[in-house]
Amino acid sequence: LTFPLLSVTLLVSFGSSMLYGYNLAVVNSPAEHIKAFYNATWSQRYGHGLAPGPLTLLYSLTVSIFALGGLGGSLLVGVLVKRYGRNGTLSRSALLVLLAGGFMGFSRELRSPEMVIVGRSITGLHAGICLSVVPLYLGEIAPKNLRGFLGLMPSIFICLGVFFAQVLGLPELLGEDKFWPLFLSVVVVPASLQLLLLHCFPESPRYLLIERNDVCGATAALHRFLGTPAVQDVMEEMKEEQRSLSSVEVVSVWQLLRDRSVLWQTLSVVVVNAGMQLSGIDAIWFYTNTIFENAGIPVSRIPYTTVGTGAIEVVAGLIGVSDGETVGYSPSVPGLCPQLPAPSDRGAGWTPGAVRSTTALSWMRYVSVVCVVGIIAGFCMGPAGVPFLMTAELFTQSHRPAAYIVGGSLNWLCNFTIGFIFPFLQMSAGAFCYLVFCGICLLVALYVYLIIPETKNKTFMEISHIFA
């Protein structure tokens, strides 16, 4: 593990991956302030405020437009990495964050809710690009024995991004009404750092050799990343892959889906990416505050409880790496845990049995927190970063960009779907709605166990031969 290899991993994880996690959680705590801004602006323009329904719709658009922007970004990945390379794409995408930060930071001064929505869509576009390009870049520059460790580093920074958004959203920091535009635009700081420093590191050696036929550039990049002049073995492995692909162009998404020689690899990418989002983790992130509120946690303590879950999320992510290898409008959660009646409301119906109920409900508060923490910790120790890493490992150079487009698009579509249908699913099935997610997790686990081979310490060609 050389200093340049570790440095570029930390840089792109901090300047790109962390922003994805931050933007997932950043609109949670200032939700009421943003709604008040929308209502006041509408009143100034048209002489009357917004009704609750249209106001909720406008705010929901602000939240969900991030996922739609992410879908657009994931569809651009193939074109961008082919034209600008991996490093070049990440450098240029940082400019999108600076633009988005400007829109959101000055939205209140210019009295424009549209600027908040446009800014959120641009941050989604950036997230959609980087969520695929960062693991692609790291998967190609990492030696095979470090591919798992470096490839899972972005997932740690996604957890850190969520945690930082939760901490900065506390009332003592940027959680007050006057600070929410600054809170949304803090993303420009990591992006600026990446923009300034990323050009100091070379492009992916695999991209230079296999797609650009730049032997000298690939050799120099390997010398820099591996810290040794003895790179003949790695060069020979890449040349073998280049020779095997000499008659194969970089394929499109349509060609990838029709190519029966990579059918199982493509199906595996579909299953693990869709399964990650349909596992229910997004529902937990989106509605954490409401779950805690309905479980009886005092409203004043909910932000701190949420920060605690974020801290455990980071620790769980670190454990996952050492093993080797939310946001949105929150409607009530009916039937999860009813609030206790106030002393003045107890009346004649309040019996000694209600004392036992009080004790049970008090315990339910802790049970709900433990359940949420357990789900988040299990996700971060397990599948959080693996689908993106696996996409890089299962395909050779010619198919890899198209595979990232497929995986990224499914990721964002499923993200948007869960955010949209979860309230309706919950209204119809109550707490039993989580059994749906349980079934999906079981099916994905069976598929991974039965179909996907171990890829640790194997070259891309060896993995391809195993599937063949």
Side-chain angles (χ1 to χ4, degrees):
L1 182 63
T2 62
F3 180 74
L5 202 56
L6 181 61
S7 298
V8 75
T9 301
L10 294 175
L11 179 62
V12 298
S13 298
F14 176 73
S16 294
S17 301
M18 190 179 74
L19 301 188
Y20 168 66
Y22 186 87
N23 284 307
L24 273 179
V26 71
V27 289
N28 192 20
S29 59
E32 295 306 317
H33 305 317
I34 295 174
K35 288 180 183 178
F37 165 66
Y38 286 177
N39 202 31
T41 304
W42 194 273
S43 181
Q44 290 171 355
R45 289 182 183 180
Y46 304 107
H48 60 86
L50 281 164
L55 180 60
T56 299
L57 179 63
L58 190 60
Y59 180 73
S60 298
L61 176 63
T62 306
V63 173
S64 61
I65 199 75
F66 177 73
L68 295 181
L71 175 61
S74 66
L75 295 175
L76 295 173
V77 167
V79 175
L80 293 175
V81 297
K82 184 177 180 180
R83 181 170 183 178
Y84 300 114
R86 286 64 167 147
N87 185 302
T89 298
L90 290 174
S91 297
R92 288 167 173 80
S93 67
L95 296 172
L96 293 173
V97 181
L98 302 185
L99 179 63
F103 271 107
M104 295 185 292
F106 291 104
S107 59
R108 185 166 61 181
E109 297 298 322
L110 299 177
R111 295 182 177 138
S112 174
E114 297 84 357
M115 292 177 69
V116 181
I117 296 172
V118 170
R120 284 281 295 171
S121 67
I122 296 175
T123 58
L125 186 68
H126 170 265
I129 294 170
C130 294
L131 207 59
S132 294
V133 179
V134 168
L136 174 62
Y137 183 44
L138 297 181
E140 291 185 354
I141 68 174
K144 61 183 180 181
N145 61 310
L146 293 175
R147 200 184 301 141
F149 172 72
L150 297 182
L152 288 175
M153 194 68 72
S155 66
I156 295 297
F157 278 83
I158 292 173
C159 298
L160 280 172
V162 172
F163 178 63
F164 287 153
Q166 292 167 342
V167 171
L168 291 177
L170 291 175
E172 295 84 353
L173 297 175
L174 300 181
E176 295 184 8
D177 179 52
K178 61 182 178 181
F179 292 131
W180 69 260
L182 176 62
F183 187 28
L184 296 182
S185 59
V186 163
V187 291
V188 302
V189 177
S192 299
L193 188 63
Q194 177 175 290
L195 188 63
L196 289 173
L197 298 180
L198 192 55
H199 72 277
C200 300
F201 297 94
E203 184 54 80
S204 160
R206 289 183 176 275
Y207 169 78
L208 292 172
L209 178 65
I210 298 174
E211 296 187 33
R212 287 286 180 258
N213 202 28
D214 183 358
V215 178
C216 294
T219 305
L222 283 174
H223 287 163
R224 179 78 187 282
F225 283 132
L226 301 183
T228 174
V231 296
Q232 292 86 353
D233 291 344
V234 183
M235 284 293 294
E236 190 55 41
E237 180 226 318
M238 291 195 299
K239 287 179 179 178
E240 180 186 351
E241 185 176 342
Q242 184 188 34
R243 285 192 293 269
S244 70
L245 300 173
S246 58
S247 60
V248 180
E249 294 288 332
V250 175
V251 302
S252 66
V253 171
W254 179 241
Q255 290 170 324
L256 173 72
L257 296 176
R258 295 181 62 189
D259 190 346
R260 296 188 63 84
S261 67
V262 292
L263 172 64
W264 284 105
Q265 290 97 312
T266 304
L267 185 58
S268 298
V269 166
V270 169
V271 170
V272 296
N273 278 277
M276 179 180 69
Q277 295 297 335
L278 298 178
S279 66
I281 187 65
D282 285 322
I284 293 294
W285 274 334
F286 291 162
Y287 302 105
T288 302
N289 284 14
T290 301
I291 290 173
F292 287 157
E293 181 178 349
N294 284 273
I297 305 291
V299 174
S300 60
R301 296 181 186 175
I302 288 177
Y304 306 97
T305 309
T306 304
V307 168
T309 63
I312 294 173
E313 183 179 346
V314 174
V315 173
L318 290 171
I319 293 173
V321 170
S322 67
D323 282 342
E325 274 291 84
T326 278
V327 299
Y329 164 65
S330 299
S332 62
V333 185
L336 181 63
C337 186
Q339 298 293 328
L340 294 177
S344 59
D345 298 329
R346 290 174 182 174
W350 184 258
T351 65
V355 177
R356 291 192 293 272
S357 298
T358 303
T359 304
L361 288 173
S362 297
W363 277 105
M364 282 300 297
R365 299 178 187 179
Y366 300 107
V367 171
S368 69
V369 174
V370 169
C371 287
V372 170
V373 168
I375 292 171
I376 293 176
F379 178 79
C380 292
M381 285 191 289
V386 174
F388 309 110
L389 170 63
M390 187 177 290
T391 304
E393 292 185 327
L394 297 188
F395 292 90
T396 54
Q397 198 78 10
S398 58
H399 293 69
R400 202 171 289 135
Y404 267 105
I405 294 174
V406 172
S409 300
L410 271 172
N411 213 296
W412 288 104
L413 280 173
C414 293
N415 184 308
F416 180 79
T417 300
I418 288 297
F420 184 76
I421 71 168
F422 179 73
F424 303 101
L425 184 63
Q426 194 175 49
M427 282 190 292
S428 61
F432 292 105
C433 68
Y434 289 98
L435 293 178
V436 176
F437 303 130
C438 181
I440 292 173
C441 289
L442 179 61
L443 292 175
V444 173
L446 285 173
Y447 179 90
V448 172
Y449 179 76
L450 295 173
I451 301 297
I452 299 179
E454 180 56 68
T455 59
K456 187 175 181 179
N457 289 333
K458 292 182 174 65
T459 66
F460 295 126
M461 293 300 294
E462 289 171 344
I463 295 169
S464 180
H465 289 155
I466 292 172
F467 270 100

